[in-house]
Amino acid sequence: MADGRASAHGRPGADARAASFGKPLLSLALAGMMEDVRALAGGVYLLAPGGSVLEMAVMAGLPRAFAAPWERVGIGSPVPVAEAARERRFVWVGGEEDMARRYPRVAVVLPYPFALAAVPVATASTVYGSVFVTWPGSHPPELSDRERERLSTACDRLALRLERAAAEHRQLPPEADLLAIPPEAPTDDPLGTGEAARMVARLPYGLCSLDLNGRLGFVNPAAAELLGAPADALLGTRLWVSVPWLDDPVYEDRYRAALFSLHVTSFVALRPPGDWMSFRLYPSTTGLSVRITRARAVAELGRAGRRPGGPSSLVTISQVLSLAGALTEAAGVQDVVQLVADEIMPAVGCQTLVMLGSRGGRMHVVGHRGYADPQLVERFDGLPLAEQNPGTQVLTTGVPAFYETRGQLDRLFPAVRDVPGQMAAWAFLPLIASGRPVGTCVLGYAERHPFPADERAVLTSLGGLIAQALERALLYDAKHRVAHGLQAALLPSSLPSLPGFEAAARYLPATQGMDIGGDFYDLVCSHGGASAVIGDVQGHNVTAAGLMGQLRTAVRAYTTVGQAPEEVMSSTNRLLIDLGTELFASCLYLRLDPGTGRAVMARAGHPQPLLRHPDGQVRVLDLPGGPLLGIDASATYPTTEVELLPGSVLALYTDGLIESPGLDIDETLAALGRRLAETGDRPLDELADGLVEFGAGVTERVDDIALLLLRARADN
């Protein structure tokens, strides 16, 4: 291992640096760890500049493609190597069940029996990355003290070498992966080698060998015949690439499973038109030996009209993983319907899709695809669940139903005559989540379609994925309907007409949370004048919204009885304290006098308003004020009188419009002022939309936005 020092006779500079890394530092360190603990595979990750991403620098024992989803890993990702580096601790995963429980994302992509250790590569002051090593499933569920100590010591030693390199400003050169241990040297007896080849050629079954990348290194004549391709065309290629009828990720997955677990693995595959082949894989740390024979028992099943229970090509593993990942991102019900239409319909070869749910004892259509006339489906919306038809039966019993022909459906449901569309076969899949049915997925086929056992199993499993996504989506949609309804009820449905003034208002909820918040505004006409208020109750949830409704009602009541602006603020402050809530609120209240065009304002910890003068100049109104409402019962709220000339625009807003994580509030306020100056002559509704877009431009809004604009008419 290079120790970072140049030879006494070497040239300084570049030569010294090259000498210090004359051997691959990371590869040798990893190989030493794996040999010490007899691990199957491993990899080294280094922290990229910036400290937020781990990048795989080298891998050993298995092809890098096995770890392709984790070439680059965010330091906050829920995977072992990131956790080891992030928390500077040793991570041990004792087997397949432990992985599925603690790191489900890894388990979904690598559903094989193996154990894993992830170890930080760090000194007392700096984290450089992490190392992982894996063992086949035969490893004990607990890591021995010796294995733990050897791995920790080796990673500490590697960290010191990396620290030394960093101190001397040396870059690590790229290193090649260590795929396998070199094969044993061939025997010196050429006759023995030749006789071994002749012996293998005489065997009546197929034999071939695959390297760790799945490439064929040897094929005997029987294997070439069974695979249906000449040996010279197969050598150096991958089975699932060079043999068309093995071109399915299911078979490649068996090869991966054998290498990861070092367990003997087998599968059967159909060679067209009707010959079933049996494959048995014998793995080692250098590759796999494969035995190929005719699957005679399976062939007998095929002649009896039944398909074997081998891997189905109906939906590949990659498609299932893609669908599962996509469904986790689906928010609303229509997102789920669209994803099922895009992902499942092409995979299973159906032509139509109907998603059914239930509400109030009746069936309702959640969504559908593939029907030229939507009325064919929508007329079934609202049918009682007690009515006997396949859709309601599956919905209420949770048992899937498959009809290969229209005749089968008619025999079981003779009273059902109006099945949507001109389909010839159907699959009715129960959507069961949390132990209860949430709906039914109906797949329609234009031609007669048999549903063998393996296909039924795949479709039923897909129904489980869809059900979980649909349950989340139904809850999401219901929550947002409640939130939007409550918010609409608490805010004014429209603004009154004011003598001498125009008014426009906008409200946007935060993108995080329940789409409901404590921001409010109101406009009240009383005693020949008008009053405007804008405020912000702490939080954006149902509690904040409920308190906001109480404050808005209180301000309206105090205004109606004729209290002065400072009295309205003081009364509202005492009310909030009397309610005993732990939430505070900011508020800005003003009384307009249409006759003089003047406004008297009182402020309680609220952002300063902006005033655009008729000449386009914008200034921040520096209003004195009192503390937030709900803090001090004896607080007073001084008032300020401001003249609103004809054509001027007063902008009242909550802090969600100008505050965003990582942005300077003074710069944001200045930018808002420039936007108001440039666009202030537009119609007031158009101006309000433009200013709200200014605050809504960030990807994630962590706070609500309320905006109230008042423009003094020029003919006032």
Side-chain angles (χ1 to χ4, degrees):
M1 193 75 69
D3 64 0
R5 292 174 297 189
S7 166
H9 302 288
R11 292 186 295 115
D15 287 347
R17 289 193 294 273
S20 68
F21 289 115
K23 296 181 179 179
L25 171 64
L26 303 179
S27 301
L28 289 179
L30 179 60
M33 291 183 220
M34 291 171 57
E35 184 177 356
D36 260 358
V37 298
R38 300 185 180 278
L40 169 66
V44 179
Y45 284 84
L46 295 180
L47 205 57
S52 62
V53 175
L54 288 165
E55 297 180 338
M56 181 180 286
V58 66
M59 187 167 174
L62 287 174
R64 184 176 287 234
F66 280 41
W70 304 285
E71 282 273 2
R72 288 170 51 84
V73 177
I75 193 68
S77 298
V79 296
V81 289
E83 190 171 300
R86 183 175 66 247
E87 300 181 9
R88 299 172 68 110
R89 68 179 181 87
F90 196 111
V91 176
W92 166 248
V93 184
E96 190 175 9
E97 292 184 4
D98 195 17
M99 183 70 77
R101 183 177 66 255
R102 295 166 55 193
Y103 305 101
R105 293 187 187 177
V106 178
V108 165
V109 180
L110 300 174
Y112 315 122
F114 70 98
L116 178 145
V119 192
V121 177
T123 61
S125 60
T126 306
V127 175
Y128 292 98
S130 60
V131 168
F132 79 89
V133 293
T134 70
W135 294 263
S138 56
H139 189 283
E142 297 298 331
L143 193 67
S144 70
D145 291 341
R146 174 191 170 279
E147 289 171 321
R148 185 181 294 267
E149 188 272 333
R150 290 292 182 92
L151 289 173
S152 298
T153 301
C155 286
D156 290 343
R157 194 161 52 239
L158 176 59
L160 291 174
R161 289 191 172 95
L162 293 173
E163 182 179 54
R164 185 186 308 158
E168 297 175 3
H169 304 290
R170 289 176 290 141
Q171 297 293 324
L172 293 179
E175 298 185 24
D177 291 344
L178 300 176
L179 191 54
I181 301 170
E184 295 180 1
T187 176
D188 293 334
D189 180 8
L191 293 178
T193 303
E195 182 56 31
R198 286 190 290 273
M199 179 195 72
V200 172
R202 289 193 294 265
L203 292 175
Y205 44 79
L207 288 176
C208 59
S209 71
L210 306 179
D211 66 13
L212 293 178
N213 282 309
R215 290 188 294 262
L216 286 156
F218 172 81
V219 181
N220 75 343
E225 180 183 355
L226 292 171
L227 293 172
D232 56 357
L234 294 171
L235 292 176
T237 69
R238 293 179 175 88
L239 269 178
W240 41 90
V241 174
S242 55
V243 181
W245 48 275
L246 290 176
D247 184 14
D248 191 311
V250 169
Y251 305 127
E252 184 179 358
D253 180 66
R254 295 297 82 209
Y255 137 80
R256 290 172 178 262
L259 284 184
F260 251 96
S261 63
L262 288 186
H263 289 171
V264 176
T265 305
S266 59
F267 63 88
V268 293
L270 175 64
R271 189 184 76 180
D275 295 324
W276 288 93
M277 299 294 160
S278 174
F279 293 78
R280 194 161 180 83
L281 285 63
Y282 299 86
S284 75
T285 57
T286 59
L288 302 98
S289 298
V290 182
R291 175 180 171 176
I292 309 172
T293 59
R294 294 184 184 274
R296 301 188 185 281
V298 173
E300 291 297 324
L301 285 175
R303 282 193 287 272
R306 292 154 51 198
R307 289 171 61 185
S312 168
S313 61
L314 173 70
V315 179
T316 65
I317 288 175
S318 60
Q319 287 172 312
V320 171
L321 295 178
S322 174
L323 175 66
L327 286 174
T328 61
E329 300 175 2
V333 169
Q334 292 310 310
D335 294 335
V336 175
V337 175
Q338 187 63 52
L339 281 168
V340 173
D342 291 344
E343 299 281 345
I344 290 217
M345 288 180 65
V348 303
C350 68
Q351 284 71 51
T352 62
L353 163 73
V354 181
M355 299 271 285
L356 302 173
S358 65
R359 184 172 55 241
R362 293 182 177 272
M363 181 169 61
H364 69 100
V365 178
V366 172
H368 56 84
R369 293 292 186 275
Y371 292 95
D373 183 3
Q375 293 183 353
L376 290 172
V377 179
E378 291 167 358
R379 58 183 168 159
F380 291 90
D381 200 67
L383 285 179
L385 292 180
E387 184 166 321
Q388 288 300 308
N389 67 61
T392 56
Q393 182 187 55
V394 170
L395 187 65
T396 54
T397 65
V399 178
F402 302 92
Y403 305 99
E404 298 183 11
T405 65
R406 177 58 190 257
Q408 290 182 358
L409 183 65
D410 289 342
R411 283 194 299 273
L412 292 172
F413 296 93
V416 177
R417 296 299 178 194
D418 296 328
V419 178
Q422 300 299 317
M423 296 295 103
W426 294 268
F428 289 79
L429 308 177
L431 305 180
I432 301 174
S434 304
R436 65 181 186 87
V438 297
T440 302
C441 178
V442 185
L443 306 176
Y445 297 79
E447 299 178 355
R448 181 184 184 279
H449 187 88
F451 294 97
D454 60 344
E455 185 168 333
R456 295 186 183 207
V458 170
L459 290 174
T460 303
S461 299
L462 289 174
L465 287 176
I466 299 168
Q468 294 177 32
L470 183 60
E471 183 184 45
R472 291 193 303 269
L474 288 169
L475 291 173
Y476 178 89
D477 285 353
K479 180 195 75 172
H480 279 260
R481 282 195 300 271
V482 171
H484 293 161
L486 177 59
Q487 192 76 58
L490 293 175
L491 292 174
S493 57
S494 61
L495 298 177
S497 298
L498 302 179
F501 286 90
E502 297 177 70
R506 296 291 185 271
Y507 171 81
L508 282 181
T511 58
Q512 301 176 3
M514 289 189 62
D515 275 8
I516 188 171
D519 289 16
F520 68 96
Y521 60 85
D522 204 356
L523 203 55
V524 183
C525 295
S526 64
H527 304 284
S531 298
V533 63
I534 191 166
D536 182 2
V537 177
Q538 181 185 6
H540 43 89
N541 49 37
V542 172
T543 303
L547 186 58
M548 172 267 281
Q550 292 176 292
L551 292 187
R552 177 176 164 245
T553 301
V555 170
R556 178 174 280 266
Y558 297 140
T559 299
T560 303
V561 299
Q563 287 190 356
E566 63 272 19
E567 295 173 335
V568 171
M569 294 294 275
S570 297
S571 298
T572 306
N573 176 50
R574 288 192 295 271
L575 171 67
L576 185 56
I577 293 174
D578 291 343
L579 289 174
T581 178
E582 296 181 355
L583 300 179
F584 307 125
S586 69
C587 188
L588 194 150
Y589 179 90
L590 63 89
R591 181 72 51 79
L592 290 170
D593 185 347
T596 63
R598 305 184 75 82
V600 179
M601 304 183 186
R603 189 174 67 89
H606 199 79
Q608 303 279 12
L610 295 176
L611 177 62
R612 183 185 188 273
H613 295 283
D615 61 0
Q617 296 295 314
V618 174
R619 68 184 179 98
V620 179
L621 296 180
D622 188 12
L623 306 178
L628 293 168
L629 302 178
I631 294 179
D632 181 6
S634 62
T636 59
Y637 298 90
T639 59
T640 303
E641 188 173 286
V642 177
E643 183 177 12
L644 303 178
L645 298 174
S648 60
V649 177
L650 182 65
L652 313 178
Y653 54 91
T654 55
D655 54 9
L657 187 64
I658 58 172
E659 289 187 7
S660 294
L663 299 179
D664 184 88
I665 189 171
D666 292 332
E667 294 179 1
T668 309
L669 182 58
L672 178 64
R674 289 192 294 272
R675 173 74 67 91
L676 178 59
E678 294 166 359
T679 61
D681 290 328
R682 295 178 180 176
L684 206 60
D685 282 321
E686 185 179 330
L687 175 60
D689 290 336
L691 294 181
V692 165
E693 287 175 4
F694 171 85
V698 295
T699 305
E700 292 289 331
R701 287 195 309 278
V702 297
D703 202 358
D704 317 311
I705 294 175
L707 174 69
L708 179 60
L709 299 181
L710 299 171
R711 173 182 281 156
R713 292 196 179 99
D715 56 354
N716 185 23

